[in-house]
PDB file of all heavy atoms in Angstrom:
ATOM      1  N   LEU A  68       5.366  16.970 -11.701  1.00 93.00           N
ATOM      2  CA  LEU A  68       4.269  17.915 -11.861  1.00 93.00           C
ATOM      3  C   LEU A  68       4.300  18.945 -10.765  1.00 93.00           C
ATOM      4  O   LEU A  68       4.055  20.130 -10.966  1.00 93.00           O
ATOM      5  CB  LEU A  68       2.941  17.200 -11.905  1.00 93.00           C
ATOM      6  CG  LEU A  68       2.459  16.620 -13.237  1.00 93.00           C
ATOM      7  CD1 LEU A  68       1.217  15.801 -13.034  1.00 93.00           C
ATOM      8  CD2 LEU A  68       2.342  17.663 -14.264  1.00 93.00           C
ATOM      9  N   GLY A  69       4.577  18.440  -9.463  1.00 94.00           N
ATOM     10  CA  GLY A  69       4.657  19.420  -8.392  1.00 94.00           C
ATOM     11  C   GLY A  69       5.704  20.434  -8.498  1.00 94.00           C
ATOM     12  O   GLY A  69       5.497  21.612  -8.252  1.00 94.00           O
ATOM     13  N   LYS A  70       6.866  19.982  -8.966  1.00 95.00           N
ATOM     14  CA  LYS A  70       8.026  20.925  -9.146  1.00 95.00           C
ATOM     15  C   LYS A  70       7.704  21.920 -10.254  1.00 95.00           C
ATOM     16  O   LYS A  70       8.003  23.078 -10.135  1.00 95.00           O
ATOM     17  CB  LYS A  70       9.221  20.182  -9.441  1.00 95.00           C
ATOM     18  CG  LYS A  70       9.796  19.427  -8.198  1.00 95.00           C
ATOM     19  CD  LYS A  70      11.116  18.717  -8.478  1.00 95.00           C
ATOM     20  CE  LYS A  70      11.467  17.999  -7.226  1.00 95.00           C
ATOM     21  NZ  LYS A  70      12.777  18.326  -6.748  1.00 95.00           N
ATOM     22  N   LEU A  71       7.108  21.464 -11.353  1.00 95.00           N
ATOM     23  CA  LEU A  71       6.775  22.272 -12.488  1.00 95.00           C
ATOM     24  C   LEU A  71       5.667  23.295 -12.038  1.00 95.00           C
ATOM     25  O   LEU A  71       5.756  24.474 -12.367  1.00 95.00           O
ATOM     26  CB  LEU A  71       6.184  21.429 -13.641  1.00 95.00           C
ATOM     27  CG  LEU A  71       5.811  22.262 -14.932  1.00 95.00           C
ATOM     28  CD1 LEU A  71       7.057  23.003 -15.433  1.00 95.00           C
ATOM     29  CD2 LEU A  71       5.318  21.247 -15.945  1.00 95.00           C
ATOM     30  N   ALA A  72       4.741  22.863 -11.171  1.00 94.00           N
ATOM     31  CA  ALA A  72       3.678  23.773 -10.730  1.00 94.00           C
ATOM     32  C   ALA A  72       4.354  24.867  -9.858  1.00 94.00           C
ATOM     33  O   ALA A  72       3.916  26.042  -9.986  1.00 94.00           O
ATOM     34  CB  ALA A  72       2.650  23.003  -9.900  1.00 94.00           C
ATOM     35  N   VAL A  73       5.323  24.530  -9.040  1.00 95.00           N
ATOM     36  CA  VAL A  73       6.004  25.526  -8.180  1.00 95.00           C
ATOM     37  C   VAL A  73       6.681  26.501  -9.141  1.00 95.00           C
ATOM     38  O   VAL A  73       6.622  27.731  -8.908  1.00 95.00           O
ATOM     39  CB  VAL A  73       6.950  24.839  -7.200  1.00 95.00           C
ATOM     40  CG1 VAL A  73       7.860  25.859  -6.523  1.00 95.00           C
ATOM     41  CG2 VAL A  73       6.191  24.078  -6.171  1.00 95.00           C
ATOM     42  N   ILE A  74       7.383  26.016 -10.077  1.00 95.00           N
ATOM     43  CA  ILE A  74       8.140  26.934 -10.987  1.00 95.00           C
ATOM     44  C   ILE A  74       7.199  27.884 -11.723  1.00 95.00           C
ATOM     45  O   ILE A  74       7.523  29.063 -11.827  1.00 95.00           O
ATOM     46  CB  ILE A  74       8.963  26.078 -11.993  1.00 95.00           C
ATOM     47  CG1 ILE A  74      10.168  25.398 -11.307  1.00 95.00           C
ATOM     48  CG2 ILE A  74       9.465  26.932 -13.137  1.00 95.00           C
ATOM     49  CD1 ILE A  74      10.794  24.292 -12.175  1.00 95.00           C
ATOM     50  N   ARG A  75       6.059  27.388 -12.130  1.00 95.00           N
ATOM     51  CA  ARG A  75       5.097  28.220 -12.833  1.00 95.00           C
ATOM     52  C   ARG A  75       4.214  29.035 -11.925  1.00 95.00           C
ATOM     53  O   ARG A  75       3.464  29.859 -12.367  1.00 95.00           O
ATOM     54  CB  ARG A  75       4.212  27.357 -13.766  1.00 95.00           C
ATOM     55  CG  ARG A  75       4.943  26.675 -14.902  1.00 95.00           C
ATOM     56  CD  ARG A  75       3.962  26.091 -15.836  1.00 95.00           C
ATOM     57  NE  ARG A  75       4.664  25.443 -16.956  1.00 95.00           N
ATOM     58  CZ  ARG A  75       4.005  24.730 -17.832  1.00 95.00           C
ATOM     59  NH1 ARG A  75       2.685  24.620 -17.790  1.00 95.00           N
ATOM     60  NH2 ARG A  75       4.611  24.250 -18.880  1.00 95.00           N
ATOM     61  N   GLY A  76       4.188  28.702 -10.644  1.00 95.00           N
ATOM     62  CA  GLY A  76       3.370  29.483  -9.702  1.00 95.00           C
ATOM     63  C   GLY A  76       1.890  29.033  -9.835  1.00 95.00           C
ATOM     64  O   GLY A  76       1.015  29.925  -9.598  1.00 95.00           O
ATOM     65  N   VAL A  77       1.584  27.835 -10.132  1.00 95.00           N
ATOM     66  CA  VAL A  77       0.233  27.327 -10.262  1.00 95.00           C
ATOM     67  C   VAL A  77       0.088  26.090  -9.438  1.00 95.00           C
ATOM     68  O   VAL A  77       1.064  25.549  -8.855  1.00 95.00           O
ATOM     69  CB  VAL A  77      -0.167  27.046 -11.770  1.00 95.00           C
ATOM     70  CG1 VAL A  77      -0.062  28.257 -12.647  1.00 95.00           C
ATOM     71  CG2 VAL A  77       0.760  25.881 -12.307  1.00 95.00           C
ATOM     72  N   THR A  78      -1.151  25.551  -9.388  1.00 93.00           N
ATOM     73  CA  THR A  78      -1.333  24.297  -8.595  1.00 93.00           C
ATOM     74  C   THR A  78      -1.101  23.206  -9.604  1.00 93.00           C
ATOM     75  O   THR A  78      -1.179  23.309 -10.811  1.00 93.00           O
ATOM     76  CB  THR A  78      -2.760  24.233  -8.073  1.00 93.00           C
ATOM     77  OG1 THR A  78      -3.690  24.182  -9.141  1.00 93.00           O
ATOM     78  CG2 THR A  78      -3.106  25.431  -7.206  1.00 93.00           C
ATOM     79  N   THR A  79      -0.833  22.011  -9.000  1.00 92.00           N
ATOM     80  CA  THR A  79      -0.674  20.838  -9.827  1.00 92.00           C
ATOM     81  C   THR A  79      -1.915  20.523 -10.570  1.00 92.00           C
ATOM     82  O   THR A  79      -1.894  20.183 -11.712  1.00 92.00           O
ATOM     83  CB  THR A  79      -0.313  19.631  -8.890  1.00 92.00           C
ATOM     84  OG1 THR A  79       0.875  19.995  -8.136  1.00 92.00           O
ATOM     85  CG2 THR A  79      -0.093  18.413  -9.688  1.00 92.00           C
ATOM     86  N   LYS A  80      -3.055  20.743  -9.925  1.00 91.00           N
ATOM     87  CA  LYS A  80      -4.369  20.452 -10.551  1.00 91.00           C
ATOM     88  C   LYS A  80      -4.533  21.334 -11.817  1.00 91.00           C
ATOM     89  O   LYS A  80      -5.145  20.873 -12.810  1.00 91.00           O
ATOM     90  CB  LYS A  80      -5.478  20.862  -9.563  1.00 91.00           C
ATOM     91  CG  LYS A  80      -6.848  20.600 -10.029  1.00 91.00           C
ATOM     92  CD  LYS A  80      -7.886  20.936  -8.919  1.00 91.00           C
ATOM     93  CE  LYS A  80      -9.284  20.694  -9.435  1.00 91.00           C
ATOM     94  NZ  LYS A  80     -10.251  21.038  -8.376  1.00 91.00           N
ATOM     95  N   GLN A  81      -3.980  22.537 -11.887  1.00 93.00           N
ATOM     96  CA  GLN A  81      -4.065  23.341 -13.059  1.00 93.00           C
ATOM     97  C   GLN A  81      -3.240  22.859 -14.230  1.00 93.00           C
ATOM     98  O   GLN A  81      -3.484  23.202 -15.423  1.00 93.00           O
ATOM     99  CB  GLN A  81      -3.644  24.775 -12.765  1.00 93.00           C
ATOM    100  CG  GLN A  81      -4.628  25.512 -11.778  1.00 93.00           C
ATOM    101  CD  GLN A  81      -4.110  26.868 -11.291  1.00 93.00           C
ATOM    102  OE1 GLN A  81      -2.998  26.907 -10.770  1.00 93.00           O
ATOM    103  NE2 GLN A  81      -4.888  27.934 -11.399  1.00 93.00           N
ATOM    104  N   LEU A  82      -2.272  22.024 -13.941  1.00 92.00           N
ATOM    105  CA  LEU A  82      -1.447  21.479 -14.982  1.00 92.00           C
ATOM    106  C   LEU A  82      -2.051  20.230 -15.645  1.00 92.00           C
ATOM    107  O   LEU A  82      -1.722  19.907 -16.800  1.00 92.00           O
ATOM    108  CB  LEU A  82      -0.037  20.937 -14.459  1.00 92.00           C
ATOM    109  CG  LEU A  82       0.809  22.118 -13.948  1.00 92.00           C
ATOM    110  CD1 LEU A  82       2.096  21.573 -13.362  1.00 92.00           C
ATOM    111  CD2 LEU A  82       1.191  23.103 -15.085  1.00 92.00           C
ATOM    112  N   TYR A  83      -3.046  19.591 -14.999  1.00 91.00           N
ATOM    113  CA  TYR A  83      -3.591  18.362 -15.540  1.00 91.00           C
ATOM    114  C   TYR A  83      -4.168  18.477 -16.964  1.00 91.00           C
ATOM    115  O   TYR A  83      -3.917  17.665 -17.810  1.00 91.00           O
ATOM    116  CB  TYR A  83      -4.664  17.783 -14.572  1.00 91.00           C
ATOM    117  CG  TYR A  83      -4.040  16.945 -13.518  1.00 91.00           C
ATOM    118  CD1 TYR A  83      -3.046  17.371 -12.707  1.00 91.00           C
ATOM    119  CD2 TYR A  83      -4.548  15.604 -13.329  1.00 91.00           C
ATOM    120  CE1 TYR A  83      -2.475  16.553 -11.700  1.00 91.00           C
ATOM    121  CE2 TYR A  83      -3.964  14.791 -12.364  1.00 91.00           C
ATOM    122  CZ  TYR A  83      -2.972  15.266 -11.585  1.00 91.00           C
ATOM    123  OH  TYR A  83      -2.398  14.454 -10.598  1.00 91.00           O
ATOM    124  N   PRO A  84      -5.011  19.509 -17.235  1.00 91.00           N
ATOM    125  CA  PRO A  84      -5.528  19.632 -18.568  1.00 91.00           C
ATOM    126  C   PRO A  84      -4.475  19.823 -19.645  1.00 91.00           C
ATOM    127  O   PRO A  84      -4.610  19.283 -20.692  1.00 91.00           O
ATOM    128  CB  PRO A  84      -6.490  20.859 -18.528  1.00 91.00           C
ATOM    129  CG  PRO A  84      -6.710  21.098 -17.072  1.00 91.00           C
ATOM    130  CD  PRO A  84      -5.525  20.542 -16.317  1.00 91.00           C
ATOM    131  N   GLU A  85      -3.396  20.538 -19.306  1.00 91.00           N
ATOM    132  CA  GLU A  85      -2.271  20.740 -20.252  1.00 91.00           C
ATOM    133  C   GLU A  85      -1.675  19.472 -20.749  1.00 91.00           C
ATOM    134  O   GLU A  85      -1.240  19.326 -21.860  1.00 91.00           O
ATOM    135  CB  GLU A  85      -1.253  21.663 -19.620  1.00 91.00           C
ATOM    136  CG  GLU A  85      -0.147  22.062 -20.487  1.00 91.00           C
ATOM    137  CD  GLU A  85       0.864  23.018 -19.812  1.00 91.00           C
ATOM    138  OE1 GLU A  85       0.483  23.625 -18.820  1.00 91.00           O
ATOM    139  OE2 GLU A  85       2.003  23.111 -20.319  1.00 91.00           O
ATOM    140  N   TYR A  86      -1.636  18.513 -19.842  1.00 89.00           N
ATOM    141  CA  TYR A  86      -1.002  17.188 -20.136  1.00 89.00           C
ATOM    142  C   TYR A  86      -2.020  16.050 -20.377  1.00 89.00           C
ATOM    143  O   TYR A  86      -1.709  14.887 -20.308  1.00 89.00           O
ATOM    144  CB  TYR A  86      -0.023  16.828 -19.090  1.00 89.00           C
ATOM    145  CG  TYR A  86       1.095  17.783 -19.026  1.00 89.00           C
ATOM    146  CD1 TYR A  86       1.186  18.811 -18.084  1.00 89.00           C
ATOM    147  CD2 TYR A  86       2.171  17.710 -19.897  1.00 89.00           C
ATOM    148  CE1 TYR A  86       2.232  19.753 -18.090  1.00 89.00           C
ATOM    149  CE2 TYR A  86       3.184  18.622 -19.934  1.00 89.00           C
ATOM    150  CZ  TYR A  86       3.247  19.675 -19.003  1.00 89.00           C
ATOM    151  OH  TYR A  86       4.263  20.565 -19.012  1.00 89.00           O
ATOM    152  N   ASP A  87      -3.322  16.473 -20.627  1.00 90.00           N
ATOM    153  CA  ASP A  87      -4.414  15.517 -20.851  1.00 90.00           C
ATOM    154  C   ASP A  87      -4.487  14.453 -19.708  1.00 90.00           C
ATOM    155  O   ASP A  87      -4.655  13.243 -19.975  1.00 90.00           O
ATOM    156  CB  ASP A  87      -4.248  14.793 -22.184  1.00 90.00           C
ATOM    157  CG  ASP A  87      -4.394  15.805 -23.376  1.00 90.00           C
ATOM    158  OD1 ASP A  87      -5.234  16.649 -23.240  1.00 90.00           O
ATOM    159  OD2 ASP A  87      -3.666  15.595 -24.385  1.00 90.00           O
ATOM    160  N   LEU A  88      -4.395  14.910 -18.486  1.00 88.00           N
ATOM    161  CA  LEU A  88      -4.496  14.029 -17.318  1.00 88.00           C
ATOM    162  C   LEU A  88      -5.856  14.199 -16.626  1.00 88.00           C
ATOM    163  O   LEU A  88      -6.379  15.338 -16.611  1.00 88.00           O
ATOM    164  CB  LEU A  88      -3.397  14.273 -16.306  1.00 88.00           C
ATOM    165  CG  LEU A  88      -1.936  14.116 -16.790  1.00 88.00           C
ATOM    166  CD1 LEU A  88      -0.993  14.628 -15.725  1.00 88.00           C
ATOM    167  CD2 LEU A  88      -1.674  12.680 -17.062  1.00 88.00           C
ATOM    168  N   GLU A  89      -6.311  13.115 -16.117  1.00 87.00           N
ATOM    169  CA  GLU A  89      -7.637  13.178 -15.335  1.00 87.00           C
ATOM    170  C   GLU A  89      -7.220  13.392 -13.886  1.00 87.00           C
ATOM    171  O   GLU A  89      -6.148  12.936 -13.459  1.00 87.00           O
ATOM    172  CB  GLU A  89      -8.403  11.884 -15.514  1.00 87.00           C
ATOM    173  CG  GLU A  89      -8.881  11.597 -16.955  1.00 87.00           C
ATOM    174  CD  GLU A  89      -9.845  12.535 -17.467  1.00 87.00           C
ATOM    175  OE1 GLU A  89     -10.682  13.021 -16.615  1.00 87.00           O
ATOM    176  OE2 GLU A  89      -9.836  12.879 -18.673  1.00 87.00           O
TER     177      GLU A  89
END
Side-chain angles (χ1 to χ4, degrees):
L68 276 176
K70 290 183 183 235
L71 183 59
V73 168
I74 290 168
R75 291 189 181 176
V77 298
T78 65
T79 304
K80 183 178 177 180
Q81 291 171 309
L82 294 176
Y83 273 56
E85 183 177 340
Y86 295 98
D87 295 323
L88 298 172
E89 299 292 326

